Amino acid sequence: MSLKNSLVIFCLIVSVKSGCYFPASYQGEFLSQSYMPSPSSDLSVPRSSPITYSTISIQYDSIPIWGYCHTRIGNNVLLMDHTASIPCFRCFRLALRSSNVLQIHTRGLDKC
């Protein structure tokens, strides 16, 4: 095998292995909205559901609070987190609703 053929094969292997990234339109800082019901022991007082926000950063190959991009097929993403002793995998689907609204569909990102 010549050096030229070896270089072509190496380039093909590198391009296949480095395919997990988020498109530029998904990258940036986003706010996550959640409802936190306030507990009340007095049933005569209506329970309020204040809305809380947290910042989520999406980088080209990771969402740091959830892990690094392991596999992405279209809008379906599998993240891997190495912070625990056992690798944690999280699966979700992204939907870009507008230039500043990114919706995440999952059964729970707090679990592996």
Side-chain angles (χ1 to χ4, degrees), residues 15-89:
S15 66
V16 170
K17 293 299 263 182
S18 62
C20 194
Y21 62 91
F22 294 105
S25 58
Y26 288 16
Q27 296 174 32
E29 297 286 323
F30 293 87
L31 290 178
S32 174
Q33 180 181 10
S34 59
Y35 299 97
M36 301 299 273
S38 59
S40 174
S41 58
D42 185 2
L43 296 176
S44 64
V45 176
R47 295 182 185 206
S48 62
S49 295
I51 298 172
T52 60
Y53 295 92
S54 58
T55 302
I56 297 174
S57 175
I58 299 181
Q59 300 173 358
Y60 78 98
D61 67 343
S62 68
I63 302 175
I65 62 171
W66 295 325
Y68 287 89
C69 190
H70 182 268
T71 306
R72 183 176 74 84
I73 301 172
N75 292 334
N76 300 313
V77 179
L78 184 63
L79 293 180
M80 185 167 62
D81 185 8
H82 287 289
T83 57
S85 59
I86 300 172
C88 173
F89 291 91

